[in-house]
């Protein structure tokens, strides 16, 4: 369970106050910060979780300062709600690594679960591929930085995910019996896995194959023709720059 978090928001707004009360009712220690840039100086320079309550009229400099704090430290940001932004502001916001809840009607238990997953220092990756040589290679390339588990079929992958916490799935596209797109569809259709990040790691690079899976919202598409270092860096960049939209 997360023990400490910051909430940046104007608690004179009913929806913000209600959210803060829900968070305070958990086992977490909640620090409330008024949404002005100067108050953000109180954020500790250690890995922390921060819930940003967006609202009309909020000074966009709050987001600018959080972006700088995040670059300088280890700040996990979760935004709730929405606000009007200029084109330049929207561009900066779109680059802000965060998990985003578009409305204040959110599941607090889901939010806390995501925070716990972000607290895992060494991320857990499941690689799904029917080629034994490829599985061994990926284990070698990623094993230094991540906890890597290997399975050789889609069905085994679903069984594994049902029993083991996982932060990212690297999924081959073309496999016998159950191909990658079908595996991803089953993941998206499973309530407790629906938001699990999945990236294709595949030799399929034709436009039709790529477009066929876009509606399932994979987190990325990495070609096996990339060098081992490029594949490793793509995974590192995913965790560093992760932006997730929660519906």
């Amino acid at each position: 369970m997360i023990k400490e978090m910051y909430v940046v928001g104007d608690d004179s707004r009913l929806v913000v106050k209600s959210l803060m009360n829900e968070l305070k009712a958990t086992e977490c220690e909640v620090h409330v910060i008024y949404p002005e840039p100067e108050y953000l100086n109180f954020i500790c320079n250690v890995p922390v979780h921060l819930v940003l309550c967006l609202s009309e009229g909020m000074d966009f400099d709050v987001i600018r300062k959080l972006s700088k704090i995040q670059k300088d430290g280890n700040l996990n940001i979760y935004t709730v709600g929405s606000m009007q932004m200029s084109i330049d502001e929207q561009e900066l916001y779109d680059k802000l690594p965060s998990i985003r809840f578009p409305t204040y009607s959110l599941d607090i238990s889901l939010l806390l679960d995501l925070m716990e997953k972000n607290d895992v220092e060494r991320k857990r990756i499941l690689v799904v591929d029917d080629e034994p040589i490829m599985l061994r290679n990926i284990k070698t390339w990623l094993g230094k930085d991540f906890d890597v588990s290997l399975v050789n079929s889609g069905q085994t992958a679903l069984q594994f995910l049902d029993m083991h916490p996982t932060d990212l799935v690297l999924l081959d596209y073309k496999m016998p019996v159950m191909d990658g797109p079908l595996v991803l569809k089953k993941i998206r259709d499973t309530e407790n896995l629906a938001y699990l990040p999945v990236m294709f790691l595949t030799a399929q690079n034709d436009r039709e194959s790529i477009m066929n899976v876009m509606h399932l919202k994979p987190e990325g598409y990495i070609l096996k023709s990339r060098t081992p270092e490029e594949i490793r860096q793509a995974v590192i960049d995913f965790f560093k720059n992760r932006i997730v939209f929660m519906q």
Side-chain angles (χ1 to χ4, degrees), residues 107-144:
D107 184 343
I108 295 297
S109 63
L110 174 59
L111 173 62
L112 296 180
D113 181 57
L114 290 167
M115 289 180 176
E116 286 199 55
K117 288 181 179 179
N118 276 337
D119 264 351
V120 177
E121 293 184 8
R122 190 171 170 86
K123 300 300 183 181
R124 300 156 297 194
I125 297 175
L126 174 66
V127 183
V128 189
D129 199 301
D130 64 311
E131 299 179 11
I133 293 177
M134 193 64 193
L135 287 174
R136 290 196 295 270
N137 285 342
I138 299 174
K139 177 82 169 182
T140 299
W141 301 339
L142 302 180
K144 181 179 178 180

Side-chain angles (χ1 to χ4, degrees), residues 33 52 62 66 82 87-88 119 156 174 194 205 219-220 227 237:
I33 301 176
L52 175 62
V62 170
L66 286 176
S82 61
I87 294 176
D88 290 341
D119 264 351
T156 306
K174 193 173 182 180
N205 63 352
E219 306 297 326
T227 67
D237 288 345

Side-chain angles (χ1 to χ4, degrees), residues 114 116-126 146-147 161 164-169 195-198 219 238-239 242:
L114 290 167
E116 286 199 55
K117 288 181 179 179
N118 276 337
D119 264 351
V120 177
E121 293 184 8
R122 190 171 170 86
K123 300 300 183 181
R124 300 156 297 194
I125 297 175
L126 174 66
F146 306 99
D147 287 335
L161 293 172
H164 302 280
T166 304
D167 299 300
L168 174 66
V169 176
Y195 299 112
L196 176 64
V198 176
E219 306 297 326
F238 164 75
F239 286 113
R242 186 180 179 197

Side-chain angles (χ1 to χ4, degrees), residues 6-245:
Y6 291 87
V7 179
V8 177
D10 180 2
D11 61 2
S12 67
R13 299 181 65 235
L14 184 58
V15 289
V16 175
K17 186 174 183 178
S18 176
L19 174 62
M20 290 180 178
N21 288 338
E22 285 189 78
L23 292 172
K24 289 177 180 178
T26 68
E27 298 178 16
C28 302
E29 181 179 348
V30 180
H31 307 281
V32 178
I33 301 176
Y34 191 76
E36 290 291 345
E38 60 268 25
Y39 293 117
L40 300 179
N41 294 325
F42 294 102
I43 297 176
C44 300
N45 189 25
V46 295
V48 297
H49 300 277
L50 183 142
V51 179
L52 175 62
C53 301
L54 299 176
S55 60
E56 297 302 332
M58 176 184 287
D59 187 344
F60 192 81
D61 282 343
V62 170
I63 296 176
R64 288 193 179 94
K65 186 152 188 177
L66 286 176
S67 178
K68 184 178 186 305
I69 293 173
Q70 189 180 55
K71 289 178 182 178
D72 294 340
N74 189 0
L75 183 62
N76 298 301
I77 298 177
Y78 313 82
T79 69
V80 183
S82 61
M83 60 182 286
Q84 290 292 325
M85 304 178 193
S86 68
I87 294 176
D88 290 341
E89 291 171 345
Q90 187 69 53
E91 184 176 353
L92 188 152
Y93 177 69
D94 287 344
K95 295 177 181 178
L96 180 70
S98 57
I99 294 177
R100 301 177 183 178
F101 295 86
T103 71
Y104 281 86
S105 300
L106 60 94
D107 184 343
I108 295 297
S109 63
L110 174 59
L111 173 62
L112 296 180
D113 181 57
L114 290 167
M115 289 180 176
E116 286 199 55
K117 288 181 179 179
N118 276 337
D119 264 351
V120 177
E121 293 184 8
R122 190 171 170 86
K123 300 300 183 181
R124 300 156 297 194
I125 297 175
L126 174 66
V127 183
V128 189
D129 199 301
D130 64 311
E131 299 179 11
I133 293 177
M134 193 64 193
L135 287 174
R136 290 196 295 270
N137 285 342
I138 299 174
K139 177 82 169 182
T140 299
W141 301 339
L142 302 180
K144 181 179 178 180
D145 302 289
F146 306 99
D147 287 335
V148 180
S149 298
L150 309 173
V151 297
N152 62 3
S153 73
Q155 186 61 47
T156 306
L158 296 173
Q159 293 170 352
F160 179 95
L161 293 172
D162 187 52
M163 296 183 290
H164 302 280
T166 304
D167 299 300
L168 174 66
V169 176
L170 293 180
L171 179 63
D172 191 17
Y173 195 106
K174 193 173 182 180
M175 296 184 293
V177 185
M178 186 183 297
D179 63 11
L182 181 55
V183 175
L184 180 52
K185 183 179 186 305
K186 288 183 177 295
I187 289 173
R188 293 288 178 258
D189 290 341
T190 303
E191 184 176 359
N192 64 321
L193 300 176
Y195 299 112
L196 176 64
V198 176
M199 299 178 73
F200 279 100
L201 178 57
T202 177
Q204 298 293 121
N205 63 352
D206 61 284
R207 177 179 173 81
E208 182 179 355
S209 294
I210 296 173
M211 296 306 296
N212 186 46
V213 296
M214 286 300 99
H215 70 286
L216 296 171
K217 299 181 180 179
E219 306 297 326
Y221 204 96
I222 308 172
L223 294 180
K224 290 180 179 179
S225 58
R226 296 290 186 179
T227 67
E229 180 55 30
E230 287 174 331
I231 292 174
R232 172 180 168 274
Q233 193 59 52
V235 176
I236 290 174
D237 288 345
F238 164 75
F239 286 113
K240 182 179 179 181
N241 302 311
R242 186 180 179 197
I243 298 175
V244 179
F245 298 89

